[in-house]
Amino acid sequence: MTSAQQPSKNEVEGPRIRNRQPGDVLVIGLLLVLTALPDAMVVPILEELLVVRYDVDPGLSHAFISINLVGGLCALPLLRVAMRRGRPILAVAIAAVADAALLAAMWLPIGFGPTILLRAVEGAADVMVFAVVFDLIGQAGRRRGAGLRFGFGAALLSMALGGGAILGGQLAGDSGSEDAARTVYLVGAAACLMAGIIAFACRNRLRRLEGIAAVSTEEESKPEPTQKAKAPLWPLMLMAGADRAAGGLLTGTLGLFLAEAVGLEPSLRGGLIGSVLLLMGLGAIPAGWISDRFGDLFVRAVGGVTFAIGLFVLPMAASDLSSLSATMLLLGVGGATLLPTSLALLDRLHGGLVGMGGFRAAGDIGFLLGVSVAGLLIHMLGDGEGSSFGYASVIAGFAIMHLCCTALVIPLLARHDRRSI
């Protein structure tokens, strides 16, 4: 091939470069924050929203969280329709407005059963928004810069969820009254409605990315002789499930372990757990930048092993505060790599709205199973009460599970990765 026949750099990179604008990522990030805020606003005030308001058992109130996760599975067929029609931005606008309407309906005194039903449907809308927004993040620039973009997306998601939890508690106030607590529904509905309006108003700006997604889906479904076939989705879903299961352990069981087995004061417990979650959120940005330089799969492998080691040694380091702090730092550094590298791998090796939706649904189910299994095992190993042995065994078991997942998934994905380790 002569130099005149050589494809230009822009042609090699495809429409991702020719059509990008700096404002694209800003608009997509705003959509991400607005739609993620309502997810965590209800978590700290479940008692006021359900136990006090509808006089249900505290155990049943957890169905409000779990049914949202399971309901997200229903979004996958809808994502297939959106992908075939090539209108993901329109899907975001519709799903966000539907989310707003469902949240507003939950504000009404409709009873516990209808509230749970609406929550399940709201979970489907939530997964649709997540899938489209993160798919657009992948389409908004060069492939070799996807890690940094997904790092920013992961950091924004983490901060939005944390901010939503804080905002939910503030809206409920110290009185904990039903009327004050249920205002979170209206605030969440307003955020989703604003996201729907922004998505519709910016449809022309982001329509280029809709076309890119459709072209990429068609082209990647017919691999060229020099291009490896699309990776299967299940290893990426397994990765998402393992990460979120371990995340459920950190946000739920770890606090109980530090309180019951170690005996730390609430302020110290909160500082240690909060520092890990903050480091995982903000650390996603440099982790994404590093993965662009050294390869998503390599950074994912190193980060996954680091995270699993930190989780495994956590019970042994808990007796000494300095060792415990160092272990928390190790967990935060390793955990910061997980989401941005997973999303970058998903975008590059599989891609598409259904892939993003499946990734989100698998993560949600992993979180639900992680919290449930950890609680059940601790109850069984401690004869109904938490014990040092029970906590240590469960934490070590989750560490081994996560390490085995890394050992299984990395070689499978390496076969399809042109930038493999």
Side-chain angles (χ1 to χ4, degrees):
M1 181 181 290
T2 65
S3 58
Q5 296 173 314
Q6 292 287 345
S8 67
K9 186 177 180 180
N10 280 354
E11 290 172 333
V12 172
E13 293 284 355
R16 288 173 180 256
I17 292 179
R18 294 196 301 268
N19 293 277
R20 68 172 181 168
Q21 291 183 8
D24 293 344
V25 176
L26 180 62
V27 172
I28 296 169
L30 185 58
L31 294 175
L32 174 61
V33 170
L34 288 173
T35 53
L37 273 175
D39 288 345
M41 287 172 61
V42 299
V43 174
I45 54 173
L46 283 179
E47 181 176 356
E48 290 79 9
L49 289 175
L50 299 172
V51 178
V52 174
R53 188 181 189 191
Y54 294 126
D55 194 26
V56 299
D57 184 83
L60 284 177
S61 68
H62 287 77
F64 189 81
I65 301 298
S66 60
I67 198 69
N68 179 261
L69 306 182
V70 177
L73 292 173
C74 300
L76 299 184
L78 299 176
L79 287 169
R80 289 188 182 276
V81 174
M83 184 175 65
R84 286 198 301 266
R85 292 179 179 271
R87 287 293 183 266
I89 290 297
L90 182 59
V92 167
I94 294 173
V97 172
D99 209 342
L102 291 166
L103 288 169
M106 284 184 249
W107 175 80
L108 299 172
I110 56 177
F112 178 72
T115 298
I116 293 297
L117 180 61
L118 291 178
R119 177 69 171 172
V121 179
E122 193 256 341
D126 192 43
V127 168
M128 285 194 67
V129 172
F130 173 93
V132 174
V133 168
F134 272 98
D135 187 56
L136 289 175
I137 289 176
Q139 303 290 343
R142 298 175 184 267
R143 280 197 181 275
R144 291 191 176 273
L148 181 59
R149 291 197 306 279
F150 283 121
F152 273 108
L156 283 175
L157 180 63
S158 177
M159 288 186 288
L161 293 174
I166 295 172
L167 180 58
Q170 292 296 318
L171 289 172
D174 296 331
S175 63
S177 67
E178 171 194 328
D179 290 337
R182 68 192 182 115
T183 57
V184 299
Y185 291 133
L186 295 181
V187 175
C192 289
L193 181 60
M194 188 180 300
I197 293 172
I198 291 173
F200 186 77
C202 297
R203 65 191 184 281
N204 292 330
R205 166 184 284 276
L206 298 178
R207 186 162 290 165
R208 300 178 316 281
L209 302 181
E210 292 181 347
I212 294 168
V215 170
S216 298
T217 301
E218 273 185 32
E219 291 180 348
E220 290 174 9
S221 64
K222 300 177 180 179
E224 298 176 5
T226 58
Q227 182 180 356
K228 294 186 179 181
K230 180 186 291 189
L233 183 57
W234 71 264
L236 296 157
M237 293 176 67
L238 181 62
M239 182 186 295
D243 289 349
R244 290 294 304 281
L249 184 80
L250 286 178
T251 56
T253 306
L254 181 56
L256 295 173
F257 167 70
L258 295 177
E260 296 183 6
V262 184
L264 296 182
E265 297 179 354
S267 59
L268 195 52
R269 296 197 305 265
L272 287 170
I273 297 174
S275 64
V276 172
L277 298 177
L278 183 64
L279 186 57
M280 289 175 65
L282 296 179
I285 297 174
W289 181 84
I290 292 172
S291 72
D292 289 334
R293 270 72 189 160
F294 297 97
D296 310 313
L297 203 60
F298 174 74
V299 175
R300 167 72 204 198
V302 173
V305 171
T306 302
F307 180 81
I309 291 174
L311 198 59
F312 187 83
V313 303
L314 179 62
M316 294 177 279
S319 57
D320 179 68
L321 185 57
S322 60
S323 299
L324 181 59
S325 300
T327 304
M328 292 294 197
L329 178 63
L330 192 66
L331 274 173
V333 171
T337 67
L338 301 181
L339 184 56
T341 54
S342 297
L343 289 170
L345 285 167
L346 176 66
D347 175 64
R348 183 159 49 83
L349 301 183
H350 190 277
L353 299 182
V354 176
M356 283 291 176
F359 181 89
R360 167 63 187 266
D364 287 345
I365 293 173
F367 182 86
L368 177 61
L369 289 176
V371 173
S372 304
V373 170
L376 179 61
L377 289 177
I378 288 171
H379 181 81
M380 293 172 59
L381 293 173
D383 291 329
E385 297 180 0
S387 66
S388 298
F389 171 76
Y391 281 115
S393 300
V394 170
I395 292 173
F398 269 70
I400 294 172
M401 175 276 297
H402 197 274
L403 186 62
C404 289
C405 176
T406 298
L408 173 65
V409 168
I410 295 299
L412 287 172
L413 295 180
R415 300 173 188 174
H416 301 270
D417 191 2
R418 287 170 292 178
R419 300 173 62 195
S420 61
I421 55 177

